[in-house]
Amino acid sequence: NAGVMQNPRHLVRRRGQEARLRCSPMKGHSHVYWYRQLPEEGLKFMVYLQKENIIDESGMPKERFSAEFPKEGPSILRIQQVVRGDSAAYFCASSPPGGTAGELFFGEGSRLTVL
Amino acid sequence: DAKTTQPTSMDCAEGRAANLPCNHSTISGNEYVYWYRQIHSQGPQYIIHGLKNNETNEMASLIITEDRKSSTLILPHATLRDTAVYYCIVTTGNNRKLIWGLGTSLAVNP
């Protein structure tokens, strides 16, 4: 049973470019979460999605960031016009429907470097 | 969500028990205590959670004080692979937005 799959694992972008991070949840999981981790800091919640719905995006920056979880395919975190401050590790997690709210299964992360 | 306080770092000898404390003095009656760990450069890993009773699984034991204001995660026989940052998180049963602090950096030494 494959775990949460994230790709790419490492991504380098120049300022102003777009970054797209993908996350395939564990089989049977319908809840997806995105977290961001800056160096030497704890994780910061960004967004919580279910299939075709954004449930809670209170942690998403107001501009340049968007997330989706379509009916088919992986969840996508999109960052437009990246800036150096976007350099971070982005972690995706998933959980099953009806599962314990705080028990999340994390992927290995996507590390974005903005030059 | 209640705030948690953890020591910044701890050391433990390989093969000994590692006891990681967490203070959550403002915890409310419907909030659970969750523990995760993050091995360097990897995604966080769920360890265990509890409400008020002590809990044990194949990874660890969780001891919650009677007043629920603090808890201790116990790794009974620490190995080098247990070296990681351990996070204590308090949240309600239906809140899916976890608030992460800086955790405790545990170093298991040979």
Side-chain angles (χ1 to χ4, degrees):
Chain A
N1 186 14
V4 176
M5 304 300 292
Q6 290 190 248
N7 67 84
R9 293 293 309 278
H10 300 275
L11 182 64
V12 179
R13 285 287 178 265
R14 298 191 179 279
R15 281 178 295 170
Q17 291 184 320
E18 179 179 287
R20 284 193 181 217
L21 310 177
R22 288 176 291 278
C23 169
S24 296
M26 287 181 68
K27 186 176 181 180
H29 287 194
S30 57
H31 303 262
V32 165
Y33 315 79
W34 286 93
Y35 284 80
R36 176 165 65 175
Q37 186 174 35
L38 296 172
E40 308 303 320
E41 293 189 12
L43 278 73
K44 295 287 192 290
F45 169 83
M46 299 183 76
V47 63
Y48 161 38
L49 311 103
Q50 294 180 20
K51 285 283 186 181
E52 300 184 281
N53 285 305
I54 297 174
I55 307 301
D56 183 346
E57 57 181 347
S58 58
M60 288 280 271
K62 295 285 185 259
E63 298 176 345
R64 301 188 298 108
F65 285 72
S66 63
E68 63 176 6
F69 187 19
K71 186 176 180 181
E72 302 290 338
S75 175
I76 306 287
L77 179 67
R78 181 183 179 203
I79 311 172
Q80 296 178 287
Q81 300 175 313
V82 296
V83 301
R84 289 222 174 101
D86 297 332
S87 295
Y90 292 83
F91 290 97
C92 171
S94 71
S95 65
T100 306
E103 186 177 349
L104 305 183
F105 298 81
F106 281 84
E108 292 300 308
S110 292
R111 281 151 185 81
L112 172 65
T113 300
V114 180
L115 302 178
Chain B
D1 290 339
K3 179 178 170 58
T4 62
T5 304
Q6 299 179 252
T8 302
S9 62
M10 294 183 65
D11 285 281
C12 177
E14 188 178 17
R16 306 297 292 267
N19 298 292
L20 294 98
C22 179
N23 285 322
H24 31 79
S25 58
T26 60
I27 193 170
S28 58
N30 63 344
E31 288 184 310
Y32 290 75
V33 180
Y34 284 84
W35 283 84
Y36 280 79
R37 73 179 181 184
Q38 187 176 23
I39 297 171
H40 181 62
S41 296
Q42 297 184 18
Q45 177 187 23
Y46 165 84
I47 300 173
I48 198 168
H49 76 279
L51 183 62
K52 50 184 170 182
N53 297 323
N54 298 337
E55 302 287 346
T56 295
N57 63 20
E58 65 279 2
M59 289 183 68
S61 294
L62 173 60
I63 308 298
I64 302 174
T65 57
E66 193 168 342
D67 64 7
R68 303 209 320 123
K69 293 187 177 189
S70 66
S71 59
T72 301
L73 179 74
I74 301 172
L75 308 178
H77 306 285
T79 71
L80 299 179
R81 286 175 294 192
D82 292 322
T83 292
V85 178
Y86 287 77
Y87 296 95
C88 169
I89 299 167
V90 171
T91 190
T92 59
N94 58 1
N95 184 2
R96 296 177 179 272
K97 183 169 71 177
L98 302 183
I99 309 298
W100 302 69
L102 296 178
T104 296
S105 179
L106 174 68
V108 180
N109 304 308

